[in-house]
Amino acid sequence: NFAPPRRSDMARVHSPARLLSAVRRERRALSQLVAETGGKHVPFGERGSGHYSAATKGCFDVIARCQGPALAALDRVFGARRRAGVVGSPFNLADFGTADGGTSLPLFRVLVHAIRAEEPSSPIVVAYEDQAQNDWQSVFHMTQGTLPNGPPGYLDGSVDNVYVVASGTSFYNQCFAPGSIDFAFSATAMHWLTQLPADIPDALHSACTEDPAARDAFAAQAATDWRQIMLMRARELRPGGQMVIANFAKDTHGRFLGQSFPRVKESMHHTFSELWREVAGPEVYRATNFPNEYRSLEACAAPFESAAGPVRAAGLRLIAAETALVECPFHTEWVQSGGDAAAYAARFVPTTRTWSNSTFVSGAVKAGVPDHEAVAMTDEMFAQYTARVAAAPADHAMDYVHSYVQVAKQD
């Protein structure tokens, strides 16, 4: 019973005027996307294996520290939904920069159960966001509970009417429909910048540089990017919606990821810098920079200070902000129990490689090194790092220093 389309219908669909209009609409949409350098962070490890969560034990502790603020934020959301008369409509949560979804799964299990207790009939939608090249296979295996030894989730039958969706749109752009998100969360993701603002002449990471121009360039880019992140979340959050973010920071004591002297003697980033220069040589070293910034607490609060600024105008308010150090669980285990130093190093070093590997590889490739040689060079650097850790386990750790930021959208 198939009837071919009429010529008049085809003319309406395929007319030059309509095609040109569609192209212009697409160009306008693309022009609104923030320019972002691709390939800054390529997941390391076998796809679909949950390698990131298996290797980054400390991230579970960082996110566990967010549970209290997240539950308090949910209480505020419940009140806003009652005032708006939308109880019973879908309750939407978003996890930005989710990686493989495993490290936040225990928190989201708690949140989903809390939502169900408060709103028995509301559908619950958990939306995961990350870059298009993310390890999405692991995200879906994690949430569906099909990875051996994965953390317990919320799709185990303990809560009904729960749904999982995903977005591969960068969090520097709007990822979800306007006014749709009730609660947003992000952990250890928003320190990645849209682009490398300058070469760092004396270090691999902006937290380590003594160069004033590099410091200023990274701080300025980080400020622009942070403001953009807030503006995009302002679009997505429902009035009364809440957001909790745990982001890498540099605190008032000068501590940052892997640098917590005198608690731990050696600095991870400084050790990376020393070994990479030795293994890769000066040309590759100069081409290698981490495109991220560990913001100070003042930098996190800055967009909220001016009532006339765009972030406040968009309806966002800063509820609370603090920095805190979470000790490296591998180091704590070694200090408490000791054991085989080589085995300790083999367990610890992968937690430093899950997020850094692609920076070393891409730096070598940028300097003209063939891909396979860049990978081998990176392997050698981490082999030397493992040997150094094994020689003095107590001197090496990756303590986590984060800002913990709570944000609300006015209702």
Side-chain angles (χ1 to χ4, degrees):
N1 296 325
F2 172 75
R6 293 173 296 178
R7 189 177 300 274
S8 59
D9 293 333
M10 295 177 67
R12 282 197 296 272
V13 173
H14 299 292
S15 68
R18 282 181 174 271
L19 287 173
L20 182 59
S21 177
V23 169
R24 286 173 174 165
R25 286 197 303 272
E26 181 69 13
R27 284 179 176 172
R28 283 197 298 272
L30 288 173
S31 69
Q32 295 169 358
L33 297 177
V34 169
E36 183 174 4
T37 303
K40 298 191 301 294
H41 176 254
V42 180
F44 179 71
E46 182 184 354
R47 297 280 173 146
S49 68
H51 176 78
Y52 177 83
S53 289
T56 52
K57 292 170 59 178
C59 285
F60 286 93
D61 298 332
V62 169
I63 294 175
R65 198 180 182 283
C66 297
Q67 181 171 311
L71 288 172
L74 275 194
D75 284 340
R76 295 191 290 270
V77 174
F78 294 146
R81 285 169 63 87
R82 288 193 295 270
R83 291 190 295 273
V86 297
V87 175
S89 67
F91 195 111
N92 296 306
L93 304 98
D95 182 6
F96 290 92
T98 188
D100 65 13
T103 56
S104 63
L105 201 54
L107 172 64
F108 274 77
R109 178 182 170 86
V110 170
L111 299 182
V112 166
H113 279 265
I115 294 165
R116 179 56 70 240
E118 180 71 21
E119 298 190 10
S121 63
S122 298
I124 301 172
V125 181
V126 184
Y128 290 94
E129 182 279 339
D130 211 301
Q131 56 185 347
Q133 63 191 14
N134 184 49
D135 181 9
W136 289 109
Q137 294 179 48
S138 287
V139 174
F140 299 129
H141 283 308
M142 284 284 187
T143 55
Q144 300 301 316
T146 56
L147 271 180
N149 303 317
Y154 46 79
L155 294 181
D156 58 354
S158 59
V159 177
D160 65 347
N161 208 11
V162 183
Y163 308 92
V164 170
V165 298
S167 169
T169 299
S170 165
F171 54 57
Y172 284 108
N173 296 290
Q174 185 174 338
C175 304
F176 304 107
S180 65
I181 300 299
D182 292 283
F183 175 81
F185 177 76
S186 181
T188 61
M190 293 174 173
H191 59 293
W192 290 98
L193 304 178
T194 52
Q195 57 189 328
L196 189 71
D199 291 331
I200 305 174
D202 60 339
L204 299 178
H205 197 284
S206 62
C208 303
T209 184
E210 298 296 331
D211 183 76
R215 279 203 304 260
D216 291 347
F218 272 79
Q221 185 67 57
T224 297
D225 288 352
W226 183 241
R227 183 171 58 250
Q228 175 70 12
I229 289 171
M230 292 299 108
L231 291 174
M232 295 301 98
R233 305 296 78 80
R235 291 183 185 179
E236 297 163 343
L237 284 171
R238 185 193 296 271
Q242 304 285 317
M243 179 164 53
V244 173
I245 300 172
N247 209 31
F248 285 130
K250 190 171 186 177
D251 69 12
T252 55
H253 303 290
R255 302 178 302 182
F256 52 88
L257 181 69
Q259 159 56 28
S260 54
F261 184 83
R263 201 191 89 79
V264 178
K265 179 180 178 182
E266 300 294 342
S267 165
M268 177 191 66
H269 274 296
H270 287 88
T271 304
F272 280 170
S273 187
E274 177 189 341
L275 291 176
W276 188 239
R277 190 193 298 269
E278 292 174 0
V279 169
E283 185 177 352
V284 171
Y285 180 86
R286 286 193 297 270
T288 307
N289 292 144
F290 283 90
N292 51 61
E293 170 85 347
Y294 300 157
R295 297 178 182 88
S296 67
L297 202 58
E298 291 74 20
C300 292
F304 302 92
E305 291 175 353
S306 172
V311 172
R312 290 276 295 275
L316 295 189
R317 298 293 181 268
L318 182 63
I319 301 298
E322 63 175 346
T323 58
L325 182 146
V326 171
E327 294 181 359
C328 173
F330 298 97
H331 184 264
T332 299
E333 177 185 329
W334 171 262
V335 170
Q336 291 176 350
S337 305
D340 186 307
Y344 164 76
R347 290 194 305 274
F348 163 68
V349 169
T351 202
T352 73
R353 192 171 184 177
T354 56
W355 51 270
S356 65
N357 186 82
S358 59
T359 296
F360 294 110
V361 173
S362 63
V365 170
K366 180 181 176 182
V369 176
D371 289 1
H372 69 282
E373 292 183 20
V375 170
M377 195 178 286
T378 304
D379 288 343
E380 174 61 20
M381 197 280 290
F382 278 104
Q384 291 196 22
Y385 184 42
T386 302
R388 184 169 293 195
V389 172
D395 293 346
H396 296 272
M398 194 177 81
D399 285 348
Y400 295 79
V401 179
H402 280 77
S403 59
Y404 294 85
V405 178
Q406 301 175 53
V407 175
K409 185 173 180 180
Q410 287 186 306
D411 63 340

